[in-house]
Amino acid sequence: MIILLKENANARQVDNLKKFLTNRGFDLHISEGTQHTLIGLIGDTSKLDIDLISSLDVVESVRRIQEPYKNANRKFHTADTVVDVGGAKIGGGHFMMIAGPCSVETHDQILSVAESVKASGANMLRGGAFKPRTSPYAFQGLHEKGIELLREAKKQTGLPIITEIMDINHLPLFEDVDVIQVGARNMQNFELLKELGQTRKPILLKRGLANTIEELLMSAEYIMAGGNEQVILCERGIRTFETATRNTLDLSAVPVLHKLTHLPVVVDPSHGTGVNDLVHPMALAAVAAGADGLIIEVHNDPPHALCDGKQSLTPEQFDHLAKAVRGILPFAAKEMTWE
Amino acid sequence: MIILLKENANARQVDNLKKFLTNRGFDLHISEGTQHTLIGLIGDTSKLDIDLISSLDVVESVRRIQEPYKNANRKFHTADTVVDVGGAKIGGGHFMMIAGPCSVETHDQILSVAESVKASGANMLRGGAFKPRTSPYAFQGLHEKGIELLREAKKQTGLPIITEIMDINHLPLFEDVDVIQVGARNMQNFELLKELGQTRKPILLKRGLANTIEELLMSAEYIMAGGNEQVILCERGIRTFETATRNTLDLSAVPVLHKLTHLPVVVDPSHGTGVNDLVHPMALAAVAAGADGLIIEVHNDPPHALCDGKQSLTPEQFDHLAKAVRGILPFAAKEMTWE
Amino acid sequence: MIILLKENANARQVDNLKKFLTNRGFDLHISEGTQHTLIGLIGDTSKLDIDLISSLDVVESVRRIQEPYKNANRKFHTADTVVDVGGAKIGGGHFMMIAGPCSVETHDQILSVAESVKASGANMLRGGAFKPRTSPYAFQGLHEKGIELLREAKKQTGLPIITEIMDINHLPLFEDVDVIQVGARNMQNFELLKELGQTRKPILLKRGLANTIEELLMSAEYIMAGGNEQVILCERGIRTFETATRNTLDLSAVPVLHKLTHLPVVVDPSHGTGVNDLVHPMALAAVAAGADGLIIEVHNDPPHALCDGKQSLTPEQFDHLAKAVRGILPFAAKEMTWE
Amino acid sequence: MIILLKENANARQVDNLKKFLTNRGFDLHISEGTQHTLIGLIGDTSKLDIDLISSLDVVESVRRIQEPYKNANRKFHTADTVVDVGGAKIGGGHFMMIAGPCSVETHDQILSVAESVKASGANMLRGGAFKPRTSPYAFQGLHEKGIELLREAKKQTGLPIITEIMDINHLPLFEDVDVIQVGARNMQNFELLKELGQTRKPILLKRGLANTIEELLMSAEYIMAGGNEQVILCERGIRTFETATRNTLDLSAVPVLHKLTHLPVVVDPSHGTGVNDLVHPMALAAVAAGADGLIIEVHNDPPHALCDGKQSLTPEQFDHLAKAVRGILPFAAKEMTWE
């Protein structure tokens, strides 16, 4: 960490700062310019509060050289983390294909989708039981009943299941859930992250709509600081001025994350674009960019169905996509155990 | 609500849609163009799930004419909501000045700040006990002890107190807190909002960094749908590409909100700019734009203090600001009961 | 186009509006709801000034059904446009690989880069002669001399050349340039676009940092309205809050553009990310997303070179990339005539 | 400027860098840490190409301490620049009120608006003759005829006039124009800026939709580097995700600019919000934030007028606004010579 002091910084306050830092075990390396003084900190600064330092009267600015995350940092853990979910693996060259409906609706719906995505090669089933909705008047999911139905689908198909948690008090309901998803809106729900850090279940952590890649890693660090090392990161689009897509899928985040962290990275092109016919090309693009997995919305399509997510694929479309993904996986040096 | 059907929409599916809508009690007004068909819905659409409708195969797009919020909507509640917090009022011409430190640190600190901001004319005391921090390693507040110290400051000065909640399980600790703050990162923590809707305490709801004004109102609607009508909205900056300020304070939100809702609107120029010397001009600008209140970070300034928030004012600076605010309040048709 | 009138719209003004529209040859389809009236316009609205209509006192809002561009619109020109640049083709399944240095610096530099990128399979040479720079004090290119050097490289290698124009008065210098590039900062330099519409040279039009996909198409329309149909669109990143990359490369723009327009789409991952080691994965992702071409910065690497663009590839890295692109082109149903 | 070298930087290349810098006249201040080496540059770095330095293989990152602009920098020119336009002054406590129609349309229109805004206290007349429009099919202004009509209005009312230039070849038409406006879309049309730097007319430079405050100052620097010191900056909204307003008016830019530069700052709440009834509150907010002037769209309102800009004020609304501005000017330590 490099601290740039203000011109004409009060000498006593600078002294206080130096004492504060040496008391915390840092070696200081002072460099006096004609106008400015720099203090270089030698030691582990990942747990030093940068906001506190940069708010000091005598400090012009602070620049980290070390990243502010440690457990998630590839520098201290060079090998890829591989998360094993009942035999389905992600990370370290293992590719994971997660598919399923936006919401769990009925027994027949979830069973039918589960079987068809499995047949197409998915190795995990998704489905929302607790749905975060902008409006209090919108359908919010089947809750316990939804998880119950997912469990049945798991039993019948053997696919591990992933579903979203919205309140830490619901945790007991997630006992048979294989991967717990933290949604974009809860990426900085720090109390929730801390509690999940106490569990030993894999967590799929979605990037918030307005959150930087570094903030995503800091949220992963919250979970890992509690001892839960099995974090899967998920890029699902950020909010920009563009309105042709619901969000702007930031695929650059995939190679950036691979440089910074050893954690696996999944891409969600369904929420990332919000448009059905963009899912296929953006899913392939995600694989080409190096994603370790995909999470895709698939709905069943009975003749009279009223509702089919604008961004969901039909089972046929998903089957077509899964084949295309298989085609390019070798070019991305990934492979998958197709069930 | 106007539903634009796709060209060549499947007739049977269109029929299903019409039945679905009439079953929900809407009168339909069909308008057939040469290429497109429009369905106008007559009835209360605020509780209709727009995402469900717009995801239908036959639907090109949906446009609301009615706003999707009802309790927060000025159309159905034309008079300004006035929230009365132990005599300090906000809304309907009443201006509220909230001030205090970022974090509650010590007994002496919070007492000293409380007394000085009261002397300058603040009528509510703020102070963080639970602090949302990007890093798990940063100081996260004094928790129960922080609320305890706020309570003492309230007792001594008579100022009502406001502090942030981060987890619904902490609610019992907030019994003596006068206004509960929901931070920007929790604006769409819907489970938290629902629980707060069950309380009868005023809630100060901060706009999320990437949230639209309409989403802010939908989150207020979550609280109000539970029966808690005392919601104070807070603009505190949105995330943009500009880096000269920590956030971009969107002051246009103030008059936009005043058109759309009867709820009072507070501006937080401290977090909104993140820079000490921008607080004064932006606070005045907020008042000129019609804000019903301000929330300002003020720290005490003992000679050897190490930490002073980059965005905090000294008591002297706050006193100067409070005087300036008083000067222009009449031009904004607001008044304040200065304690 | 659907015009939603305000509640209680002044009857005479509504009448004026109706006359105005019928005088312009539109058939009107009026639909009176209980509160609102809709006017549907039947006819070619692409040349109707939507801002003028939406600014009327009686108008609540206006919604286009037709897109506001005509020449660029795939609806009126379903087949892909193929641009043929001296045998190198782009569009309609033809893939183009453009490569070269950020700036043309010396005879040896440009010749050396040209030969190496040609050997790796590029079929067009890029190189900046006029460089838009944020600072007036930064190197702004070799100007005429730069174009002269490009011409020599073209002569020697047979590669067609592309370079950026910044001022319409420079047009005479571009006589031997094969494709004229309009940079992101000039995407809405409408006077420049109009003049380029008068030429019959292919134009590569880069998307502005803050411009929507629709605005990009409107700028293409400016060129095409002048009779120049050879427009190549280029996604090169948009400006967002994320700072890990210089810009956020919006790859979704590729399939979105392919739906909306028949014009070919190129991706620039060098400017789009601003980081050398992100170029390879994002170039592959662009191909997988369906891009019709790539434009890549490549610098030569003499041992003592001082300057090598942070985002440029070495010739070896480019060779590696070109091979990888060739690998996945078939999966994107594209092919390329490798020189 | 502080240059942070990479770990394990190639020693010969570091040597090359040091020679390069000392050859340019800088004193170097080297500071070796355990892992990283810093080079501090002492000397005038405003003309050093930061992109070149940061692109070097051995450089991890570069941080400016000095701002990259010199002529516009308050550090080297502490007193406010006052621009005097035929007696109407702006800057240094002088407030300027610019008003007029979006487009010049007819003789009667511009004369009528000019007289009414003068009567209300405006001291400069605006009006578009060349109109940048997203669509090539939209009305683009009266061009020469428009400037001719502005000149007549100036003659009749004595108000100085301001209008926008879109192409440097039009410059001869601007001989009688008092202030030349550079629109947001041309803020980085560097060739235009350079030419305007050769004139000796005041330039009103609008901030681009996606441009940072620093980039605005760099564009001002382009003009000033040519010798034209009379630059007026204009905040007119930036592009964000929020859609309730056309742009997000970034009023924080006003005090930020006042810290960084001596140039006067005008705010355009008409384009900044795009909504008629937001103009009044945001204009007052701009004054409270310290703006040196306002630029407001005002249209005349003949009974049968078809078009009135959605964001324009009526003369009555402008008169009301001008009175309110007069009320709070003293609180902002500004004054105005009302004609």
Side-chain angles (χ1 to χ4, degrees), chain C residues 63-195:
Chain C
R63 199 192 168 287
R64 279 195 184 280
I65 298 177
Q66 288 181 355
E67 293 79 13
Y69 43 89
K70 195 155 188 179
N71 293 292
N73 198 330
R74 191 180 280 278
K75 281 191 190 150
F76 308 121
H77 184 309
T78 49
D80 287 347
T81 284
V82 178
V83 179
D84 184 327
V85 187
K89 289 181 187 168
I90 182 166
H94 300 276
F95 191 83
M96 183 172 273
M97 180 66 103
I98 310 170
C102 177
S103 297
V104 180
E105 290 170 23
T106 65
H107 176 272
D108 290 0
Q109 171 238 24
I110 189 70
L111 264 293
S112 150
V113 174
E115 274 163 9
S116 83
V117 300
K118 186 187 176 185
S120 298
N123 54 5
M124 188 172 305
L125 178 67
R126 59 149 291 153
F130 293 91
K131 299 295 303 170
R133 301 300 303 270
T134 304
S135 167
Y137 309 122
F139 174 58
Q140 318 236 335
L142 295 181
H143 298 184
E144 295 85 330
K145 179 67 184 162
I147 292 183
E148 173 65 29
L149 294 174
L150 281 171
R151 213 154 43 195
E152 285 177 37
K154 174 185 177 178
K155 208 165 145 189
Q156 198 122 336
T157 60
L159 289 175
I161 54 177
I162 175 172
T163 195
E164 178 170 351
I165 193 164
M166 285 177 62
D167 184 339
I168 197 58
N169 297 318
H170 299 153
L171 191 58
L173 297 169
F174 286 70
E175 207 174 323
D176 292 334
V177 170
D178 298 285
V179 178
I180 302 179
Q181 177 178 317
V182 176
R185 290 179 184 84
N186 277 317
M187 191 200 93
Q188 292 194 318
N189 183 340
F190 300 121
E191 299 301 312
L192 178 62
L193 300 179
K194 281 191 238 176
E195 292 292 334

Side-chain angles (χ1 to χ4, degrees), chain A residues 55-56 137 221-222 306, chain B residues 56 133 137 221-222 306 308:
Chain A
S55 73
L56 298 178
Y137 310 122
E221 190 78 7
Y222 259 95
L306 182 69
Chain B
L56 297 178
R133 302 300 302 270
Y137 311 122
E221 191 78 7
Y222 259 96
L306 182 69
D308 48 29

Side-chain angles (χ1 to χ4, degrees), chain D residues 104-105 110 127-129 141-151:
Chain D
V104 180
E105 290 170 22
I110 189 68
L142 294 181
H143 298 185
E144 295 87 329
K145 179 66 185 165
I147 293 183
E148 173 65 29
L149 293 176
L150 280 171
R151 212 156 44 196

